[in-house]
Amino acid sequence: MTTVHPAPGAPATAADGLSRHVVVAPGMCSGGSLVFGRIGDWTWEAVSESCRMNVHAARTADGDPAYLSFYYFHVRGGDVVHPHGLTFGDELRVDSRTFQFGSQSVITLHRLAPAGLDLPDGPLDPAEVYAHPHPDCLYAENFNRWIARTTAGSNQGLAQVTPPGFTYQDLPVLPNAHSPRSLVGRARATGSFHPDGPPGFHEAGRTQTYPYALDVVRDLNGAGLMYFASYFAVFDTMLLRLWRSLGRTDGQFLRRKVLDQKIGYFGNADPGAVFTVTVRRWTRTGAPGTEVADMALRDAATGQLIAVTAIETSLDPGRDPWPTTT
């Protein structure tokens, strides 16, 4: 169940954001990608409301479908609300706010808080999201760009577009200090969010490479594009393979706590595509229960970089000790 209303204490204008009371249902909680899909739906809803257009039915000037694609998805888990810590019946307050980011893209920020948590009045402030997050809350940052197919029936060579009716000019501007453009640009150029390793961590084991074949049942959305949330599932599948190779249990995987995850989306794929996924792993120096996995998804036939992710996870080693195998 979701109840949507303007942000508490804010004027009732779309640019000030939306606030929802959400009761967690089976369709948004699991050990996989369900919560990310729901956050993405909230992004499309927030953009539709803020830009006064039906994002779901957007068209190019030529009348072809236009899609508000995900270019960067960043989520940070809190002590209470974190991606795989939700269960049936949990009650949340979800605040969302969309910012202009050029003529073809937007940034939408979300805060998922325990219902009843004492929070500031007014619209969601970027300073809170980026500099002063509440320790109990989950925060998500979505960088979306408009795209359209250049060839009917193909997901190759997608072009950036601006659909008529996309009115972004009245949206607030995200301060330049919080822009993810440089971060995502480096990840695209190097194939990694951590080409030199994350600070405070040391590399653990060798780089692993796994094959993955696109699953037309799970990985494509209703528009025939590779679904943004399926990238989370693909990367989690590779992480699970790595954990099993280390002798870890599926129970440990399901109890993992995602502290931070970034995904950069740099390509799409057609049915029949086969990928290679390279996985590197680091452990926090002095804290072996905290790890970062950095992965790159590439088209096996062409080598094209499709997506990269960095996942920082934590699991209490005292509860179910991890083997020391590296």
Side-chain angles (χ1 to χ4, degrees), residues 44-215:
W44 275 40
E45 292 169 7
V47 175
S48 291
E49 186 74 19
S50 300
C51 298
R52 300 181 296 280
M53 68 177 296
N54 182 357
V55 169
H56 303 80
R59 296 274 170 173
T60 68
D62 295 328
D64 298 319
Y67 307 107
L68 188 66
S69 70
F70 286 77
Y71 186 61
Y72 175 61
F73 199 123
H74 180 201
V75 60
R76 286 182 294 167
D79 293 337
V80 176
V81 183
H82 52 92
H84 306 300
L86 298 173
T87 192
F88 302 175
D90 285 348
E91 296 191 39
L92 304 173
R93 168 179 161 180
V94 179
D95 291 282
S96 307
R97 193 178 182 197
T98 298
F99 298 80
Q100 61 172 285
F101 209 58
S103 63
Q104 298 174 322
S105 56
V106 287
I107 295 276
T108 302
L109 304 179
H110 304 278
R111 177 183 60 207
L112 281 65
L117 185 68
D118 186 20
L119 294 168
D121 288 336
L124 184 59
D125 187 345
E128 176 189 340
V129 178
Y130 293 101
H132 307 290
H134 192 290
D136 291 343
C137 298
L138 182 153
Y139 294 88
E141 173 188 15
N142 291 166
F143 176 5
N144 295 77
R145 305 195 302 182
W146 287 105
I147 61 168
R149 288 186 171 94
T150 57
T151 303
S154 173
N155 294 335
Q156 306 300 316
L158 300 172
Q160 293 189 53
V161 298
T162 302
F166 177 48
T167 56
Y168 63 91
Q169 295 86 351
D170 293 335
L171 295 178
V173 178
L174 189 74
N176 286 334
H178 305 318
S179 170
R181 288 190 191 275
S182 295
L183 173 70
V184 183
R186 285 194 299 270
R188 186 168 194 165
T190 63
S192 172
F193 281 107
H194 298 295
D196 301 317
F201 288 73
H202 63 274
E203 194 159 7
R206 296 174 296 176
T207 299
Q208 303 292 327
T209 301
Y210 301 105
Y212 181 82
L214 186 145
D215 185 337

Side-chain angles (χ1 to χ4, degrees), residues 228-291:
F228 76 89
S230 72
Y231 291 71
F232 283 93
V234 171
F235 285 128
D236 279 347
T237 299
M238 301 303 108
L239 184 62
L240 177 58
R241 290 183 186 178
L242 176 66
W243 280 35
R244 286 173 172 170
S245 75
L246 299 171
R248 299 174 182 173
T249 68
D250 290 357
Q252 288 174 309
F253 183 79
L254 291 173
R255 287 194 297 273
R256 75 198 187 282
K257 181 177 182 180
V258 172
L259 306 177
D260 189 283
Q261 182 167 6
K262 305 175 180 70
I263 292 185
Y265 301 83
F266 307 131
N268 211 277
D270 294 318
V274 176
F275 307 107
T276 58
V277 185
T278 55
V279 186
R280 296 187 298 162
R281 183 173 63 96
W282 295 271
T283 62
R284 183 179 292 279
T285 302
T290 301
E291 296 188 343

Side-chain angles (χ1 to χ4, degrees), residues 288-310:
T290 301
E291 296 188 343
V292 170
D294 190 272
M295 299 182 238
L297 177 75
R298 290 183 169 85
D299 185 285
T302 65
Q304 177 191 0
L305 182 67
I306 303 297
V308 299
T309 192

